[in-house]
Amino acid sequence: MTIKSFNQVSATPFSGHNTERQTERFDSARTMSAQQLPTPPLLTPYKMGRFDLSHRVVLAPLTRQRSYKNVPQPHAILYYSQRTSKGGLLITEATGVSDTAQGYPDTPGIWTKEQVDAWKPIVDAVHAKGGILFCQIWHVGRVSNTGFQPNGQAPISSTDKPLTPQLRSNGIDVAQFTPPRPLRTDEIPNIVNDFRLAARNAMEAGFDGVEIHGAHGYLLEQFMKDQVNDRTDQYGGSLENRCRFTLEIVEAIVNEIGADRVGIRLSPFATYSEAADSNPEALGKYMVEQLNNYGILYCHMVEPRMKTVGEMSECPHSLVPMRNLFKGTFIVAGGYTREDGNNAVAENRADLVAYGRWFLANPDLPKRFELDAPLNKYNRETFYVSDPVIGYSDYPFLEGTA
Ligand SMILES: Cc1cc2nc3c(=O)[nH]c(=O)nc-3n(C[C@H](O)[C@H](O)[C@H](O)COP(=O)(O)O)c2cc1C
């Protein structure tokens, strides 16, 4: 596999705050066009449970911070609809499950009727164009501060270990995190229930399924990873105990909406928000083996080579052991080009490939991959601005394909 070297980035979690410079190379994989098969592997159909996908290019979940006061806005209708293709799979931006789940300005939620109703026209627009839309459901845990919490309370986590302040995307402000409050054992069922209700609400809004956000240093990882979790109850200590909370959420959601509508995103190798594990491969393998017991639709895993957005490196780890163990659909993400994605599918290292930044900047990405057309560059400076158009729905389509 080709490892591309993107520019360095300072310590930044995805959903917010990054200070990368604007000088990355345009490195679409047009280099292989001469020996390209007539239909590139990424453009072949795939049956994912009940869903007939016409290609394997997935919209990765992308926080855009344009859901004012945590309510999805009408401008999201155009944004998601632009990125919809017939038979294409899209995953929404991370969406809070409760009023304690938030840690960034203007990220959407799915715990109130107003939020559910606001999602409906977005889902309808994707369906009208033949797309399949999953809602990524999320709790940030300690990646928050009292300003985002109801009644100014402390954020919840597995632990009381605080995060160190991090630079925000403008490169000037510093994100402050309030020391978290470890959840009491008897409170954990409440959070499981919040996820269950969020999944039910997602069905009510018309989504095709949910993706449980079990990645990137947020609440579920704060339980799964041994460098964060310092609990002494049945949710801490052994690998089995650390994964218990996430698996209880999986079970509750499977019972609520059916396994064939449930996916999960995991990033055992990542270290975002100071969430690392001493044995990420053991964690990844244990999780997929347990997930097999629930028969969920897909597992979406982030590449170990992806350290932070923009930072890629050679690395000895691979997702292949997890891919081989998992019985459902396996989605990979993290730094994929067209060429890498085609290779991953051709070599059976993945069923589907999720694209983040390239899909953000190229609403017609599957079409461009099909034609091996040039890609628009993405502009990091507008990833998280709150403008309803700029950097959001104003990236151009290929001529004649909009
Ligand atoms: C602007 C932006 C927002 C993101 N928001 C989320 C998110 O809400 N949930 C999530 O799981 N990952 C999020 N990510 C990570 C992406 O889904 C993806 O894994 C990452 O960008 C690497 O893939 P890429 O190299 O194709 O961009 C975000 C990334 C970016 C650039």
Side-chain angles (χ1 to χ4, degrees), residues 14-15 60-63 94 136 213 216 265 334-335 355-357 383-384:
F14 282 125
S15 300
L62 292 167
T63 290
Q136 189 187 53
H213 196 339
H216 298 160
R265 193 172 217 209
Y355 288 86
R357 291 161 295 174
F383 280 177
Y384 304 110

